[in-house]
Amino acid sequence: MASLAEVKAFRGEEREWEDRSWFPPGPQLAVCLSGDKNRLGDLTDAELCERMAAARRQASWAQAQELAAIAELAARRHAQDEHHDPDYRVLSARESLLEEVSVALAVTGNAAATLVHLAERLTHQLPGTQEALQAGRIDLAKARAISDATDHLPDHLCTRIEDTVLDGVEERTTGQLRGKIKRLVRRLAPAELAEQTRRTVKGRRLELWESGHGAAGLALIDIPADDAAAVHNKLTAVAHGLKQDGDARLIDQIRADLALQLLRGVPLPEAVRTPPAQAEPSTPAVPDTPGGDGDSVAEMVGHAARRRLEELRAHVEFHGRLADLPRLAARAVEELHERLAPLRDTACGHGKPGYRPPTALRRQIEARHATCVFPTCNRRSEHCDIDHTTPYGTRGTTCGCNLAPLCRRHHRTKQTQGANGAAGWRLFQPWPGVLIWITPAGTWHITLPSRQ
Ligand SMILES: [Zn+2]
Ligand SMILES: [Zn+2]
């Protein structure tokens, strides 16, 4: 029997992307997607739609691979955590895992925590969702929606809800999927839902973030849904009233202006009359980017370290001794540190007496690194500890070549040794301002002075 493609070829109407909706994601689909990427112009509209859907299935498949790798590393670190004394000065294996994922994917610690949580939920409570993601039936946003909505529910309810919502899930948007799960949870687990609401509301807060161009966001997060709806309805009603009286602003603008006036303590009747405060343009503080010869030396050192570590990894991979990588990588950087000693001695005088850096030196360090030197951390250096990269005392001096800003959390990361013989985190400063992190897995991240 001839295949569909053969029939089409015979009829002279073969269209590569038509009728591909059945094609599962994976290596073969990747080949199809990459094979004709330069011929998008030749495709029919219908084929373009097939192609975008195929690419999304492929992305979902890749997301499933990413989460599976995260879950596997989590299981390994978890096993190391078991006989490990809790010690407040260092990170637990789990916290250390979050930092590893954070640097591996270049995402914030919070984003890493969310990914690890999702990976573990899909592996343990929601294997059907994991399968659906892997098969491209749902995308990451939908997997996340299922996981979020069933968080804190007992396993048997997770399974039941999962089975129900995955039926026909291909046809639903993320919003529709969320609505369906919400209705199911309300029906199947009202007590758990109430408990979850109580727990969520405990984390209520007012968040402020810079949204760029001198504007900012300000939001009440995780407050009771009824309260939120009541406030929103009230603002909307007043806004519509003003609009009817001829206010030229958009409803969104009126609501935002009203909320701001009220939060500033202007009572409602007056808040309605007060024209919107004109935003005073404020100049955001831009840290001076350190320039000059010192930085090009730092770049050269960073470059040399990277090349050396890459060679080392190739060598270790070739000999199949990847388990030795953390130790060998640390030793390679130590050697580089030693080799640069004479140059460092010439470049800086060292000799600052005392453990605590004088204010002027602290300012220099803060100017060199605007943030904590952990690769994914954005904590401003003014709010950081000034850490002695090599501990103060026998070898470590209080000098620009041995100091760097570390926030509390990443100070603890640095001090975290692996449990049960596993490798920990290592931090080196072979050149003033060049910080090299070796992770427990033996990967590395190099922070240069001009990072900001
Ligand atoms: Zn020095
Ligand atoms: Zn940090």
Side-chain angles (χ1 to χ4, degrees), residues 372 374 377 379 407 410:
C372 165
F374 192 77
C377 187
R379 186 114 180 115
C407 71
H410 294 125

Side-chain angles (χ1 to χ4, degrees), residues 99 371-379 384 405-411 413 437 451:
E99 303 301 1
T371 63
C372 165
V373 295
F374 192 77
T376 57
C377 187
N378 289 322
R379 186 114 180 115
C384 286
L406 278 179
C407 71
R408 280 294 147 84
R409 179 174 177 100
H410 294 125
H411 212 152
T413 304
W437 292 87
R451 178 155 73 102

Side-chain angles (χ1 to χ4, degrees), residues 344 348-351 397 399-402 432:
R344 266 199 316 274
C348 70
H350 308 319
T397 55
C399 173
C401 65
N402 191 45

Side-chain angles (χ1 to χ4, degrees), residues 121 124-126 150 152-162:
R121 292 264 300 143
H124 302 298
Q125 281 95 30
L126 300 165
T150 56
H152 303 300
L153 290 183
D155 289 2
H156 71 276
L157 278 178
C158 288
T159 311
R160 199 164 152 198
I161 290 171
E162 182 185 45

